[in-house]
Amino acid sequence: MDLADLQTASDYSKLLGIEALSLGDGVAEARLPMADQVRNRALNMHGGAIFSLLDITMGLACSSSHGFDRRSATLECKINYIRPVTEGEVICKARVVHAGSRTLVVEADVLQGDKLVAKGQGTFAQL
């Protein structure tokens, strides 16, 4: 699937520097490089930026499941932070684990190389 043909990037995701890498059949992958605008006061990647990457990638997984002609909205989302990110980039891999008629449940991992940075789960409403 050609990502250039899809509306995969909001102004918010562009502001953070999030880039969709792959989409299809209820899965999505996106990356977030380290940049000054995503650092916290300790100069690590801000937890809010990591959470945004997770939420956006899970939303893209929903869209790849129910189609980009429909919308979805986050009903709830939980994240566990495992390790800090000081440089480089992180990749989020999200997958729909349940696609019901009104809601979807999605799991996601945020990785730096082969190291787990964060793990999350969310429930999304189909609009």
Side-chain angles (χ1 to χ4, degrees):
M1 177 176 289
D2 185 7
L3 299 181
D5 294 337
L6 300 173
Q7 291 185 338
T8 58
S10 66
D11 287 341
Y12 180 65
S13 63
K14 290 175 189 174
L15 177 70
L16 292 177
I18 294 170
E19 176 189 2
L21 300 175
S22 64
L23 298 167
D25 295 330
V27 296
E29 190 171 314
R31 71 186 274 272
L32 174 61
M34 179 62 87
D36 288 342
Q37 72 266 21
V38 298
R39 289 186 186 273
N40 62 20
R41 291 182 296 134
L43 301 180
N44 295 321
M45 188 174 283
H46 194 287
I50 294 170
F51 186 89
S52 291
L53 171 66
L54 184 105
D55 184 50
I56 288 166
T57 309
M58 288 193 299
L60 289 172
C62 290
S63 293
S64 76
S65 176
H66 58 57
F68 281 82
D69 57 327
R70 297 192 65 191
R71 299 275 184 210
S72 54
T74 309
L75 293 175
E76 64 85 26
C77 193
K78 177 216 185 300
I79 190 168
N80 288 98
Y81 297 99
I82 311 297
R83 63 174 19 93
V85 176
T86 58
E87 60 186 44
E89 69 177 23
V90 292
I91 304 287
C92 182
K93 298 179 180 184
R95 65 211 155 276
V96 174
V97 295
H98 172 74
S101 62
R102 298 190 331 197
T103 61
L104 300 102
V105 177
V106 187
E107 292 180 345
D109 294 331
V110 179
L111 303 158
Q112 187 170 42
D114 62 349
K115 295 186 191 264
L116 185 63
V117 170
K119 189 163 193 62
Q121 182 175 2
T123 305
F124 291 75
Q126 289 193 57
L127 305 177

